[in-house]
Amino acid sequence: MFAAGTDTSSTFLEWAMTELLRHPRVMNKLQKEVRGIVGSKTDVLTEDDLVEMPYLKAVIKETLRLHPPLPLLVPRLSTQDVEINGYNIKAKTQVIINAWHIGRDPKVYDKPEDFEPERFLNSDINYKGTDFQLIPFGAGRRMCPGIQFAMAINEIALASVVHKYDWELPSGASVEDLDMTESTGLTVHLKYPLRAVAIPYSY
C-alpha cells in the first residue's frame, strides 16, 4: 500500500510540474493564487490554506485527466450478464477500464489534448468516483482507498513547490525540448525523467 501510494503520488507530481513548465501562463496563474493566499509565511502550508485555492484544484484535476497515474484501472469482475452500448458482457468477465482514454474523449471534453485547467473552474466534476468522465481513482465501493491521503499530499506538495520556488528548464532548454513520451507499465511515468531548476522565490 505504501509503495502504491508513493509511486502514484510522485508520478502525479512529475506530470503536473512538466505541464506547468510547458504552460508558463498556467504556472504564473497558479503561483499568483498560492502566493497571494500564503504570502511570505515561512512554515509549511496547511490544509486550511488550500481551501481558498480553486485554481490549484483545477490544475490537479486537469493533470489527472490527461495523466492518470494508473491509466488502466484495477481490473473488475462482472457479477452478472449485462449489455453496454450493444456489447454483451457475461457474468464473471474480467473488465478493465481505460481511464486514460476517458480523460481524452472528445465526446466528453472540448479540445481534450490541451492542458486547460480552466475547464474545471466553476465545475462540479470531481475525481471521487461520482463523475465517470474523471475517474483516476476508480469508482464505486472498490475505488482506491488512499484517495484522501493521496490528494492531501498532492495538493500540499504542489502548492509548496510553486509557492517557494520559481522554476525553469536547465541549460537554457526550451519547453519544446520537453519529451512527453510515456513509459509503459502499470503506472505511466515520463519515459525520460523531468529535470528542472528550482530558484528560491524572495518576497
Side-chain angles (χ1 to χ4, degrees), residues 83-105:
E83 181 181 332
I84 300 176
N85 293 335
Y87 292 93
N88 294 313
I89 301 173
K90 296 294 184 182
K92 298 185 179 180
T93 299
Q94 189 177 63
V95 179
I96 299 175
I97 308 299
N98 189 338
W100 185 94
H101 180 74
I102 291 172
R104 294 168 186 256
D105 188 345

Side-chain angles (χ1 to χ4, degrees), residues 131-174:
D131 299 295
F132 294 139
Q133 62 267 54
L134 186 66
I135 52 171
F137 297 97
R141 291 177 296 172
R142 291 179 178 83
M143 67 183 296
C144 175
I147 183 173
Q148 298 298 334
F149 169 78
M151 295 317 299
I153 294 299
N154 290 341
E155 288 183 6
I156 289 175
L158 186 58
S160 295
V161 296
V162 300
H163 172 232
K164 299 291 187 183
Y165 302 97
D166 286 325
W167 295 86
E168 63 183 32
L169 296 174
S171 304
S174 67

Side-chain angles (χ1 to χ4, degrees), residues 71-132:
L72 301 178
L73 301 178
V74 176
R76 299 286 191 251
L77 201 67
S78 60
T79 57
Q80 61 188 24
D81 293 354
V82 64
E83 181 181 332
I84 300 176
N85 293 335
Y87 292 93
N88 294 313
I89 301 173
K90 296 294 184 182
K92 298 185 179 180
T93 299
Q94 189 177 63
V95 179
I96 299 175
I97 308 299
N98 189 338
W100 185 94
H101 180 74
I102 291 172
R104 294 168 186 256
D105 188 345
K107 295 177 183 177
V108 177
Y109 293 103
D110 183 43
K111 297 187 288 185
E113 297 297 327
D114 294 351
F115 184 76
E116 294 184 356
E118 285 78 8
R119 75 176 79 237
F120 288 111
L121 292 176
N122 303 315
S123 168
D124 293 330
I125 296 174
N126 65 53
Y127 41 71
K128 298 178 181 178
T130 56
D131 299 295
F132 294 139

Side-chain angles (χ1 to χ4, degrees), residues 35-50:
R35 290 169 180 171
I37 292 169
V38 181
S40 58
K41 188 169 75 170
T42 56
D43 54 350
V44 297
L45 279 80
T46 66
E47 290 188 49
D48 291 336
D49 296 319
L50 303 173

Side-chain angles (χ1 to χ4, degrees), residues 11-23 62-63 66-68 100 104 113-115 169 174-184 188-195:
T11 299
F12 160 79
L13 287 170
E14 185 176 38
W15 280 117
M17 288 302 298
T18 302
E19 290 289 6
L20 289 172
L21 285 164
R22 290 181 70 220
H23 301 88
E62 183 70 342
T63 302
L66 280 172
H67 309 288
W100 185 94
R104 294 168 186 256
E113 297 297 327
D114 294 351
F115 184 76
L169 296 174
S174 67
V175 293
E176 289 76 18
D177 298 322
L178 281 171
D179 190 332
M180 300 296 286
T181 304
E182 299 174 340
S183 67
T184 56
V188 174
H189 304 261
L190 277 167
K191 185 174 182 179
Y192 305 102
L194 173 66
R195 297 182 184 277

